[in-house]
């Protein structure tokens, strides 16, 4: 059929095949749009029943005009069969979307759209009869579309018995159509996994039957598990006929109640589609109602807290003061303890701002020496939570002040009872929060002091309680935190020791409890940090080994929870690091395989949520990595379109949010474009792209708080321009660029030892007529196992020096 015309529509491809027939991709040449064409299978094209089913679907769709129902454009008669010309829905099935992961809010939006479409169909008396996740599509823009009204029918009146239809049995499809086991009843049609009891028994099918199926779809959507056991057809029909489904666990009561009503055995007990729509909308609006109630509670609490504080200050009665103080602390505990957890899901952390100030004033007025140890710990933990909220709001100075208040109470609690393990843990965590806030603000030395205090406490607790999982976890974190500060300060030896110690602790945790997901995740993180450090320090074999083990762990974690997008993102990051390490050691094919795996993961994420800028950025970076492996093989035509797409994405992102890391990504994109132009002999275009990379790298460098990250792309682009200017005969200009490389790398020792930077320095030294120094660096890189193809090609010629 491909290449033939059906009316003014040309068939261009095959989209899929089902139990009844094929669905083709077509292009409407008159209206210049892509469409889908649905036909019956070759062996069934002469069946009057099959043609009737197609007509029935056409009539059902033509009677409906709803944004969540796939639209029909035409009914066309072909030479050997008839076609439905349908709206093309470019997206994934609901089942696939669930597997890729989504938030509860998005799930409720999808459920609302589905039941809204059912309400529109039911108003016309049309019953779908086969509602299931595979018949619901999620378009690329997030629009929900119900498909396949092929077995839809008009609702039977209560006094009527649906007539027997001469339908063929279809064993090869999930949707089954076969004669009823009871003479005089209708055929059984639908998917057993999502069938209502009356459908499974061949009894009258009404709009309530669709609502039962919707209840099962809603259960699957919320729990991400099949609502019924996966059995053979006969066993599944028995379960469906009995109205059985698996229990729905760990869901809010409002949702479990709605699903229970929808899946009531008696059709009369089920809500209508309109009632179900209202129920879902009430559930959707609950967080906003909750937020308004919380805001009112906060306002009352502020008034009470102000009045209570005044009472404590001026009232002579100690008893009354104590009672009021307890009431105040209860309010404060709510405001800085439970309240943030209730506000964060509805995006209203701003409600806490005035509350936080009142709470801090109240805490500052207290005397730690007059409080019990438990009170001190509670206040320290509450303030740490409040500080964490301020970190999420981007208010680092305010967060630091709050963490300092937390540390004040934690120190008093630990001093009160040094043998209290909980008090020591509270103190260690307070030191971490203070240190982390200082690290985020660039005060590394002060952060290091607090991280050492965190380690000292964790080490003492570990000596008291060897092999205690909670204490071991804290000890691992303390070593990892120390490593991050040493690395940022350029103390690579100290950083490596800390990371290796953290990894050793995590290995013990995993060996003791292999099923502990947190321990496995912590080990992967420790290995990843170690791998990055080793790669930047030139220890390429060690870096690759660390990344390989990190990736193996992340693959296992992601496979266990395929719907968890956080694990998918983490796996993609591990594979990206591994791909870079493989390219550095000359394993280009292995690097390409890793990069393709990254691209597959992030492509799915980016398509699922186009509004997630981080996922869009990860997609662009993945394309750059795969393009780099193509360029390493001189596959210029393969690399060029990927770099172009990635560059366009990154230019758009940085125009909206000029984050330093994103600017460096864009610099890398320009740098790779320059390498491709140079490889293809386009020197002028290469110089232009190198200059753009230099400009972006310099812009990013001015935004860095700790410095160093911009050095590799900047030095590489400068060296590239220097080589091209030398080839163009402009020796003085080439030497100026080469001198800038040496100045840049000498000013930033923390990253100055990375192989890519060392290569750029060697290239610059050769241009500056210092061949002996260049040769020494090349020898060093070779001994480290650096085999990046462009490096090998550059320095393997008889006369050392850049091309």
């Amino acid at each position: 059929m491909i290449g033939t015309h059906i009316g003014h529509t040309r068939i261009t491809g095959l989209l899929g095949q089902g139990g009844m027939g094929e669905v083709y991709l077509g292009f409407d040449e008159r209206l210049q749009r892509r469409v889908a064409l649905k036909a019956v299978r070759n062996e069934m094209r002469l069946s009057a029943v099959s043609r009737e089913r197609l007509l029935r679907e056409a009539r059902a769709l033509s009677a409906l005009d709803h944004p969540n129902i796939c639209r029909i454009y035409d009914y066309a008669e072909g030479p050997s069969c008839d076609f439905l010309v349908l709206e093309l829905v470019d997206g994934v099935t609901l089942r696939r979307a669930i597997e890729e992961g989504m938030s509860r809010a998005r799930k409720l939006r999808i459920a609302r759209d589905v039941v809204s479409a059912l309400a529109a169909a039911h108003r016309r008396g049309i019953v779908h009869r086969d509602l299931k996740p595979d018949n619901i599509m999620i378009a690329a823009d997030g629009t929900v579309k119900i498909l396949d009204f092929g077995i839809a029918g008009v609702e039977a009146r209560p006094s009527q018995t649906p007539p027997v239809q001469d339908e063929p049995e279809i064993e090869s499809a999930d949707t089954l159509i076969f004669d009823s086991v009871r003479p005089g009843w209708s055929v059984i049609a639908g998917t057993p996994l999502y069938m209502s009891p009356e459908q499974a028994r061949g009894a009258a099918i009404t709009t309530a039957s669709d609502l039962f199926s919707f209840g099962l779809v809603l259960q699957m959507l919320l729990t991400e598990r099949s609502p019924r056991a996966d059995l053979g057809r006969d066993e599944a029909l028995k379960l469906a006929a009995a109205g059985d489904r698996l229990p729905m666990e760990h869901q809010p009561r409002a949702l479990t109640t709605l699903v229970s009503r929808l899946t009531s055995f008696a059709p009369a007990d089920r809500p209508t589609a309109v009632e179900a729509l209202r129920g879902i909308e009430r559930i959707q609006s609950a967080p906003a109602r909750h937020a308004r109630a919380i805001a009112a509670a906060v306002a009352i609490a502020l008034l009470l807290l102000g009045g209570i504080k005044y009472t404590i200050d001026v009232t002579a009665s100690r008893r009354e003061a104590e009672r009021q103080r307890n009431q105040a602390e209860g309010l404060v505990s709510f405001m800085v303890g439970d309240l943030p957890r209730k506000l964060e899901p509805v995006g209203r952390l701003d409600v806490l701002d005035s509350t936080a100030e009142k709470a801090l004033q109240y805490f500052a007025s207290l005397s730690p020496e007059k409080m019990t140890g438990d009170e001190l710990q509670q206040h320290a933990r509450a303030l740490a939570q409040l500080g964490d909220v301020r970190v999420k709001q981007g208010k680092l100075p305010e967060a630091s002040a709050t963490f300092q208040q937390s540390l004040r109470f934690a120190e008093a609690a630990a001093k009160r009872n040094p043998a209290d393990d909980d008090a020591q843990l509270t103190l260690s965590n307070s030191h971490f929060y203070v240190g982390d806030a200082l690290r985020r603000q660039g005060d590394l030395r002060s952060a290091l002091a607090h991280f050492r205090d965190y380690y000292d406490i964790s080490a003492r607790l570990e000596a008291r309680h060897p092999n205690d999982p909670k204490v071991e976890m804290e000890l691992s974190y303390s070593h990892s935190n120390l490593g991050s500060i040493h690395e940022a300060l350029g103390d690579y030896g100290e950083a490596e020791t800390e990371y290796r110690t953290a990894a050793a602790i995590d290995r013990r945790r995993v060996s003791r409890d292999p099923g502990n997901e947190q321990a496995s995740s912590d080990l992967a993180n420790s290995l990843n940090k170690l791998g990055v450090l080793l790669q930047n320090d030139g220890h390429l074999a060690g870096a690759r080994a660390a990344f390989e083990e990190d990736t193996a762990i992340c693959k296992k974690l992601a496979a266990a929870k395929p719907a968890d997008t956080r694990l998918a993102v983490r796996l993609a990051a591990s594979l990206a690091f591994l791909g870079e390490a493989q390219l550095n050691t000359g394993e280009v094919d292995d690097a390409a395989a890793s990069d393709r795996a990254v691209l597959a993961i992030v492509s799915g994420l980016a398509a699922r949520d186009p509004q997630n800028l981080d996922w869009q950025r990860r997609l662009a970076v993945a394309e750059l990595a795969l393009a780099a492996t193509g360029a390493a093989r001189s596959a210029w035509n393969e690399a060029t379109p990927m770099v172009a797409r990635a560059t366009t994405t990154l230019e758009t992102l940085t125009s909206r949010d000029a984050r330093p890391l994103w600017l460096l990504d864009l610099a890398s994109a320009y740098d790779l474009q320059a390498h491709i132009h140079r490889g293809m002999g386009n020197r002028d275009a290469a110089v232009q792209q190198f200059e753009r990379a230099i400009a972006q790298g310099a812009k990013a460098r001015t935004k860095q708080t700790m410095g160093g990250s911009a050095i590799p792309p900047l030095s590489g682009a400068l060296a590239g321009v220097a080589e091209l200017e030398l080839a163009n005969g402009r020796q003085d200009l080439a030497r100026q660029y080469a001198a800038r490389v040496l100045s840049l790398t000498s000013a930033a020792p923390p990253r100055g030892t990375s192989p890519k930077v060392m290569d750029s320095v060697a290239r610059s030294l050769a241009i500056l007529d210092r061949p002996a120094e260049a040769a020494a660096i090349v020898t060093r890189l070779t001994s480290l196992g650096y085999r990046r193809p462009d490096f090998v090609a550059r320095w393997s010629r008889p006369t050392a020096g850049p091309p």
Side-chain angles (χ1 to χ4, degrees):
M1 297 297 297
I2 296 175
T4 62
H5 280 75
I6 303 299
H8 47 75
T9 299
R10 175 168 46 88
I11 296 179
T12 60
L14 180 66
L15 287 175
Q17 293 175 295
M20 283 303 301
E22 294 84 31
V23 180
Y24 295 98
L25 176 64
F27 185 73
D28 185 331
E29 295 176 337
R30 179 184 297 172
L31 298 178
Q32 294 291 297
R33 64 184 176 188
R34 296 196 305 160
V35 296
L37 295 98
K38 185 174 182 179
V40 294
R41 287 203 312 250
N42 286 333
E43 65 270 22
M44 303 178 70
R45 281 176 175 166
L46 299 179
S47 166
V49 173
S50 299
R51 188 166 186 259
E52 174 59 28
R53 185 176 304 126
L54 203 65
L55 278 168
R56 188 163 60 239
E57 181 169 5
R59 294 188 191 106
L61 291 176
S62 63
L64 299 170
D65 185 15
H66 190 277
N68 301 119
I69 296 176
C70 179
R71 290 183 170 88
I72 183 170
Y73 295 144
D74 199 2
Y75 183 90
E77 295 184 354
S80 59
C81 68
D82 299 340
F83 292 86
L84 294 185
V85 183
L86 303 168
E87 172 187 8
L88 178 65
V89 183
D90 186 9
V92 297
T93 66
L94 177 58
R95 183 181 303 281
R96 177 67 182 275
I98 291 170
E99 290 172 354
E100 293 175 353
M102 63 179 75
S103 65
R104 181 181 296 279
R106 188 175 180 218
K107 291 177 179 179
L108 289 175
R109 287 196 298 272
I110 291 171
R112 177 200 62 202
D113 291 347
V114 170
V115 77
S116 174
L118 287 180
H122 293 175
R123 276 193 293 270
R124 293 276 187 171
I126 297 172
V127 184
H128 189 283
R129 298 206 299 173
D130 194 23
L131 189 70
K132 58 184 177 181
D134 293 318
N135 280 343
I136 300 169
M137 291 287 289
I138 311 299
D141 63 358
T143 303
V144 177
K145 294 282 185 180
I146 297 182
L147 311 181
D148 203 352
F149 277 74
I151 63 171
V154 177
E155 181 181 19
R157 297 172 187 243
S159 60
Q160 295 177 330
T161 300
V164 177
Q165 302 172 44
D166 183 18
E167 298 274 19
E169 182 172 340
I170 302 175
E171 294 282 3
S172 60
D174 290 336
T175 299
L176 305 177
I177 304 173
F178 46 90
D179 290 338
S180 171
V181 293
R182 295 183 62 177
W185 286 42
S186 81
V187 297
I188 297 176
T191 301
L193 193 60
Y194 291 92
M195 210 179 264
S196 66
E198 58 272 19
Q199 281 176 281
R201 300 195 313 273
I205 297 174
T206 67
T207 54
S209 306
D210 278 351
L211 270 298
F212 191 101
S213 299
F214 172 68
L216 296 179
V217 170
L218 182 57
Q219 176 168 336
M220 195 269 192
L221 177 62
L222 295 169
T223 63
E224 301 183 359
R225 291 189 298 274
S226 173
R228 285 175 172 158
D230 188 10
L231 303 171
R233 189 192 75 181
D234 293 341
E235 291 80 6
L237 281 172
K238 290 177 183 178
L239 282 178
D244 286 346
R245 64 181 175 91
L246 296 174
M248 186 174 170
E249 300 173 339
H250 311 302
Q251 297 295 323
R253 181 180 298 175
L255 287 169
T256 56
T257 299
L258 178 59
V259 171
S260 294
R261 290 186 61 210
L262 288 165
T263 55
S264 298
F265 185 84
D269 292 338
R270 301 169 202 158
T272 65
V274 172
E275 291 170 338
L277 176 60
R278 289 172 182 163
I280 289 173
E281 288 175 341
R282 280 196 301 272
I283 294 169
Q284 283 183 299
S285 64
R289 296 197 306 272
H290 195 191
R292 289 194 294 271
I294 289 172
V298 168
I300 295 170
L302 286 172
L303 293 173
L304 287 173
L305 188 58
I308 290 164
K309 177 67 172 63
Y310 177 77
T311 302
I312 293 174
D313 289 344
V314 302
T315 302
S317 170
R318 291 184 179 179
R319 182 176 299 174
E320 178 62 13
E322 183 66 24
R323 187 185 70 80
Q324 296 283 1
R325 175 183 154 183
N326 290 338
Q327 186 178 356
E329 291 182 354
L331 287 170
V332 169
S333 178
F334 163 70
M335 287 187 291
V336 300
D338 293 337
L339 190 57
R341 289 192 293 272
K342 293 178 179 179
L343 288 172
E344 188 170 2
V346 294
R348 291 303 309 273
L349 291 176
D350 57 300
V351 174
L352 281 172
D353 289 341
S354 57
T355 308
E357 292 303 321
K358 286 284 187 180
L360 287 172
Q361 292 173 17
Y362 175 71
F363 282 136
S365 72
L366 300 176
S367 300
E369 61 274 8
K370 296 180 180 179
M371 301 169 66
T372 67
D374 287 343
E375 288 175 335
L376 290 168
Q377 288 184 57
Q378 290 170 1
H379 284 65
R381 288 193 288 265
L383 281 163
Q385 286 181 333
L386 185 55
D388 190 47
V389 168
R390 288 183 151 174
V391 169
K392 291 173 182 174
Q393 290 179 306
K395 301 177 179 180
L396 288 179
E398 294 91 335
S400 291
T402 306
F403 290 140
Q404 290 287 356
Q405 284 267 44
S406 171
L407 181 60
R408 170 174 167 249
F409 286 106
E411 287 176 333
K415 185 177 180 181
R416 184 77 53 81
N417 188 357
D420 187 336
D421 292 340
D422 287 338
Q424 294 297 321
L425 277 173
T426 300
L427 177 58
S428 72
N429 280 281
S430 292
H431 277 298
F432 163 76
Y433 280 120
V434 173
D436 190 56
L438 291 167
R439 178 191 65 81
R440 291 172 185 268
Q441 296 175 88
D443 188 353
L444 300 179
R445 294 292 178 186
S446 298
L448 182 61
H450 284 282
F451 282 164
R452 280 176 174 155
D453 288 334
Y454 175 29
Y455 162 74
D456 289 340
I457 296 170
S458 300
R460 287 198 298 271
L461 288 172
E462 203 274 336
R464 287 187 202 170
H465 308 285
N467 301 328
D468 181 283
K470 185 176 180 179
V471 173
E472 278 191 321
M473 180 178 70
E474 296 290 345
L475 187 60
S476 167
Y477 292 170
S478 68
H479 282 291
S480 185
N481 289 326
L482 287 171
S484 66
I485 298 296
H486 284 303
E487 181 179 5
L489 290 169
D491 301 329
Y492 278 22
E494 290 290 338
E496 181 179 349
T497 299
E498 297 294 351
Y499 289 150
R500 289 192 182 279
T501 304
I505 295 171
D506 294 332
R507 280 189 210 284
R508 289 203 304 268
R509 295 166 59 201
V510 172
S511 64
R512 195 175 297 119
D513 185 4
N516 188 322
E517 180 183 320
Q518 184 63 57
S520 295
S521 178
D522 290 342
L523 175 57
N525 289 335
S526 296
L527 290 166
N528 186 269
K529 290 181 177 182
L530 177 63
V532 172
L533 176 77
L534 292 174
Q535 184 151 283
N536 287 333
D537 204 22
H539 299 291
L540 303 183
R544 179 167 175 171
F547 289 140
E548 285 174 343
E549 188 176 359
D550 166 33
T551 301
I553 295 170
C554 289
K555 281 182 178 178
K556 186 175 180 181
L557 292 173
K561 292 186 176 180
D564 193 326
T565 57
R566 293 170 302 176
L567 294 176
V569 168
R570 179 66 180 82
L571 174 57
S574 299
L575 284 164
F577 280 116
L578 178 59
E580 177 72 11
Q582 290 165 332
L583 189 58
N584 283 340
T585 54
E587 303 295 334
V588 180
D589 291 341
D590 289 345
S594 296
D595 293 335
R596 280 192 291 269
V598 175
L599 188 59
I601 294 171
V602 297
S603 293
L605 293 173
R608 192 179 71 87
D609 187 359
Q611 303 304 314
N612 188 317
L613 299 187
D614 180 63
W615 289 353
Q616 299 301 318
R617 174 252 169 186
R618 288 178 185 274
L619 174 58
V621 172
E623 288 196 296
L624 286 180
L626 189 55
T629 59
R633 302 191 308 273
S634 299
W636 312 119
N637 292 333
E638 174 187 322
T640 299
M642 286 189 287
V643 177
R645 283 195 302 271
T647 303
T648 300
T649 299
L650 292 168
E651 285 174 339
T652 302
L653 290 175
T654 53
S655 68
R656 297 173 61 179
D657 188 348
R659 302 182 195 181
L661 184 60
W662 293 7
L663 292 172
L664 290 180
D665 293 334
L666 183 55
S668 297
Y670 290 144
D671 183 78
L672 185 52
Q673 281 195 357
H675 281 289
I676 292 172
H677 282 304
R678 184 171 67 177
M680 298 175 71
N682 304 323
R683 287 186 181 178
D684 291 341
V687 169
Q688 183 182 22
Q689 293 300 324
F690 274 135
E691 291 287 4
R692 297 176 78 179
I694 292 168
Q696 290 298 323
K699 187 177 179 181
R701 193 180 178 211
T702 63
K703 293 175 174 284
Q704 293 292 325
T705 57
M706 292 186 287
S709 298
I711 304 305
L714 258 178
S715 62
L718 287 166
V721 176
E723 291 171 345
L724 288 171
E725 295 296 359
L726 185 65
N728 289 330
R730 292 188 281 267
Q731 186 173 5
D732 289 344
L733 191 55
R735 292 174 67 87
Q736 290 176 25
Y737 278 109
R740 286 176 64 183
V741 173
L742 299 188
S743 175
L744 179 71
T745 54
S746 63
R751 300 285 175 180
T753 53
S754 76
K756 292 178 71 173
V757 172
M758 291 170 67
D759 184 24
S760 299
V761 170
R763 293 154 63 191
S764 301
L765 288 169
I767 292 172
L768 293 169
D769 298 324
R770 295 159 63 177
E773 295 172 77
I777 293 176
V778 172
T779 300
R780 165 70 174 157
L781 284 171
T782 303
S783 69
L784 292 173
Y786 191 58
R787 298 289 185 275
R788 204 173 179 102
D790 54 348
F791 168 80
V792 174
R794 180 179 294 111
W795 298 104
S796 61
R797 295 186 306 281
T799 55

